[in-house]
Amino acid sequence: MNYITSTIAALGLTAGMAAAQELDLPSQMSWTAYDTGSAGYNQAVAIGAALQDAAGVNLRVLPGKNDVSRTEPLRQGRVEFSATGVGGSFMAQEGVFDFGAENWGPQPIRVLMANNGGAINLAVGVAGDLGIEEFSDLKGKRVAYIVGAPALNVNTEAYLAYGGLTWDDVERVDFGGFGASWTGLIEGQVDAAFASTNSGKAYEAEAGPRGLFWPPIDPENTEALDRMTAIAPFFTPNKAVVGATIDGTDGYQGAGYAYPVLTAIESTDADLVYNMTKAMVELFPQYDGKAPGIGGWALDKQDMEWVVPYHEGAIRYFEEQGVWNEEAQAHNDNLIARQEALAAAWEETKAASPDDWEAAWSEARRKALQDGGFDVVF
């Protein structure tokens, strides 16, 4: 039993009205999440039901087609939190892809908690009627590209790289949102698309006329994995046991990362974040099992040294529970320093008014990270 697990056991956390009465949350709240039918949306709805039953909180879940549409309401303060992925968290922090546009820039994203279940994979699924066995077999096939969703597209690119391919080796088919891409796979408009294995859309594809297949990732193939992580460093090999075509089997050897990630921004009220984090932990028994893969929200599954910093309100709760330490704080401080270096480079680039914004920001960003001694990604 690890330190966090034993600490939680000692706490004897229980759900119910007694715990809920101690939560100081607004009666009305809003989150953004992935499209209707996605794993992130389904989990947000299940968490909302627990909040309603235990604390009388009405959680409105707003589906967003892409990373920008999920992050914009958070940036504008129209929602309190976002249940997002690496796009709305890591890539927004980094100011890359769509977040590198002149009207965006690196965002001061903060994490409350993340689903680190390990029960699911984040993978590229292919139509089962194609006879594809490996990612290299996607050469010449139609692969979904989601406009305005850099995380999904980078993830797909990483899987292509695992198979020794690039976007130039496949036929890119553009879609306006995650859900549309999987409808396209089911209806024969595209051959491969990215999703979590427990996505409702993946289950629809499994039951559809074409069927569904997840090409495998070999954790011993270091050369292919190096190609994959060079594109998306947050991926790690993982054997999923939950998802379309996977449930009831020995599992699917693929890759994954934290998803969904519950985020705020730096300026979000610390007391609100504290109470939302507390609700996520103390109501966990009430929403656990209510959506596929939702068990990864458990406190003992949290990675306190992730790639995006935690909010001070969440840290306050973790400190009270004895699951935050000096190493986690030092890591968090370094991530905040990274964000500050990127923000400063962004302001300097804007002040220079370059003719070629994309090239100028790319150069300035990489230089700021190198000068600050931070890892250069993207």
Side-chain angles (χ1 to χ4, degrees):
M1 180 177 289
N2 63 32
Y3 171 69
I4 293 179
T5 303
S6 61
T7 302
I8 293 167
L11 288 172
L13 294 176
T14 58
M17 293 307 296
Q21 289 170 356
E22 299 177 1
L23 299 174
D24 185 11
L25 289 171
S27 59
Q28 301 267 348
M29 295 180 65
S30 297
W31 293 8
T32 57
Y34 276 73
D35 270 354
T36 304
S38 69
Y41 182 88
N42 293 341
Q43 290 180 24
V45 169
I47 292 165
L51 285 167
Q52 178 66 55
D53 293 343
V57 174
N58 180 27
L59 177 62
R60 185 184 181 200
V61 182
L62 306 176
K65 290 184 176 181
N66 53 53
D67 296 321
V68 169
S69 63
R70 283 185 291 276
T71 308
E72 181 67 14
L74 185 67
R75 179 168 74 157
Q76 293 182 359
R78 293 192 286 111
V79 301
E80 290 84 0
F81 304 108
S82 178
T84 189
V86 295
S89 55
F90 181 59
M91 294 177 189
Q93 163 190 279
E94 296 294 304
V96 292
F97 304 108
D98 285 7
F99 296 107
E102 199 166 356
N103 63 330
W104 270 98
Q107 301 297 303
I109 300 295
R110 296 291 186 271
V111 174
L112 283 72
M113 298 184 72
N115 187 321
N116 292 288
I120 67 169
N121 281 336
L122 289 300
V124 169
V126 302
D129 59 358
L130 297 175
I132 285 176
E133 297 182 358
E134 303 286 345
F135 284 105
S136 57
D137 296 335
L138 283 173
K139 186 172 184 178
K141 299 297 189 294
R142 300 168 298 173
V143 179
Y145 183 97
I146 315 304
V147 177
L152 299 182
N153 299 327
V154 167
N155 294 341
T156 300
E157 183 180 354
Y159 274 96
L160 291 174
Y162 177 90
L165 306 175
T166 70
W167 283 108
D168 292 335
D169 297 309
V170 299
E171 181 183 343
R172 176 179 136 177
V173 181
D174 289 4
F175 292 92
F178 161 82
S181 70
W182 277 82
T183 298
L185 187 145
I186 294 167
E187 296 180 352
Q189 298 163 359
V190 72
D191 300 319
F194 180 85
S196 61
T197 55
N198 62 335
S199 167
K201 287 293 186 179
Y203 283 105
E204 286 183 33
E206 177 189 16
R210 306 184 73 192
L212 178 66
F213 177 70
W214 306 102
I217 291 291
D218 180 2
E220 303 300 321
N221 190 340
T222 56
E223 184 178 343
L225 285 171
D226 285 347
R227 293 196 301 266
M228 183 180 197
T229 55
I231 302 295
F234 37 80
F235 269 115
T236 57
N238 182 65
K239 190 170 186 179
V241 294
V242 174
T245 77
I246 301 168
D247 296 333
T249 71
D250 291 336
Y252 155 58
Q253 184 62 61
Y257 55 80
Y259 168 77
V261 183
L262 186 60
T263 62
I265 55 175
E266 180 186 18
S267 61
T268 305
D269 181 74
D271 289 337
L272 175 62
V273 173
Y274 170 89
N275 280 281
M276 188 69 252
T277 306
K278 181 177 182 179
M280 291 293 294
V281 173
E282 299 191 5
L283 296 182
F284 176 75
Q286 293 188 223
Y287 63 79
D288 186 25
K290 299 300 173 64
I294 202 169
W297 289 104
L299 183 54
D300 65 341
K301 294 185 182 297
Q302 299 307 301
D303 180 0
M304 300 304 179
E305 298 182 28
W306 200 51
V307 294
V308 179
Y310 282 87
H311 195 284
E312 60 175 314
I315 293 173
R316 189 204 313 169
Y317 180 78
F318 295 148
E319 287 177 332
E320 289 180 359
Q321 310 315 312
V323 297
W324 188 261
N325 56 33
E326 292 180 0
E327 290 77 11
Q329 188 62 55
H331 181 81
N332 215 68
D333 291 343
N334 187 63
L335 290 174
I336 291 173
R338 180 188 182 95
Q339 288 190 355
E340 291 172 347
L342 289 170
W346 178 268
E347 293 303 325
E348 291 174 5
T349 308
K350 287 196 73 172
S353 300
D355 292 332
D356 187 340
W357 172 264
E358 184 176 349
W361 167 236
S362 178
E363 180 180 352
R365 180 184 172 278
R366 294 179 68 85
K367 184 177 186 302
L369 292 174
Q370 290 171 346
D371 291 350
F374 304 109
D375 291 338
V376 178
V377 182
F378 307 121

